Amino acid sequence: MEADVASDASDRGLDSRQLDEIGAWVRQGTDTPGAVLGRGYQATVYLYSGPAGTYVVKKAPDSLIGKTLGEAAIRREAKIYGRLRGVGGIPRCMGLIEDKYLVLEHVPGKSLRSLEHDLDDREAFFARLLGTLRAMHGAGVAHGDLKRKDNILVGPGEVPFL
């Protein structure tokens, strides 16, 4: 399945050269200022910006246990993104590099936590969010951590992304 995700990336704009370039960037070190978007026990999330474009890259921790469990979680997440392909409000999965780095579409925006009081049309935002959740559930996927407003992104045009 993972190979299918990686080969499918070329259908959406990333070829093997671009995936290789992003993979090399992650392997060489991601100490670019502002590159770390977040850290968790399963992965660190980076913002790659280079000749291949701008993408979000998830990488498992470097510790032995963290790496083993984190890479398994990343492979599972890639499969889930495959199930959610075409669902509005879900970033596109651009590929899985070396079976351990997940490359996602970068959606510019801020978390709902930081913008919840500044939404121009709260009713429309939450109606769109409900539509995304229903589509996810229709694909057999549940998010599992939406109580954290940081997991909901307010994208361009106040479109919610999970």
Side-chain angles (χ1 to χ4, degrees):
M1 177 71 179
E2 286 80 341
D4 294 337
V5 173
S7 65
D8 185 59
S10 64
D11 297 335
R12 289 183 269 153
L14 290 182
D15 58 31
S16 61
R17 181 190 53 76
Q18 291 169 307
L19 289 171
D20 288 344
E21 178 182 304
I22 295 168
W25 176 79
V26 174
R27 284 188 307 278
Q28 290 172 2
T30 51
D31 57 359
T32 308
V36 176
L37 295 176
R39 290 185 197 278
Y41 67 93
Q42 288 185 347
T44 300
V45 180
Y46 298 97
L47 180 64
Y48 165 85
S49 188
T54 301
Y55 299 97
V56 171
V57 180
K58 291 183 84 172
K59 177 184 180 252
D62 290 328
S63 69
L64 182 60
I65 292 174
K67 187 178 193 80
T68 302
L69 296 175
E71 287 177 3
I74 284 172
R75 288 189 295 274
R76 181 175 181 271
E77 189 172 343
K79 290 178 183 179
I80 292 167
Y81 274 104
R83 292 179 77 172
L84 295 174
R85 185 175 303 130
V87 172
I90 304 295
R92 291 180 300 150
C93 179
M94 306 310 286
L96 188 60
I97 300 171
E98 298 174 12
D99 220 25
K100 59 185 176 182
Y101 309 126
L102 182 63
V103 182
L104 302 172
E105 167 188 28
H106 173 253
V107 177
K110 293 186 176 183
S111 73
L112 178 59
R113 176 177 308 287
S114 66
L115 293 177
E116 69 180 311
H117 300 293
D118 298 323
L119 293 173
D120 290 330
D121 190 343
R122 292 177 59 81
E123 194 170 314
F125 178 84
F126 286 107
R128 287 185 198 133
L129 179 59
L130 181 59
T132 297
L133 290 171
R134 286 183 172 151
M136 281 179 67
H137 294 170
V141 175
H143 190 286
D145 193 14
L146 290 178
K147 68 181 179 212
R148 290 182 30 127
K149 294 175 184 175
D150 291 324
N151 287 333
I152 302 169
L153 180 72
V154 180
E158 293 192 347
V159 174
F161 281 85
L162 299 175

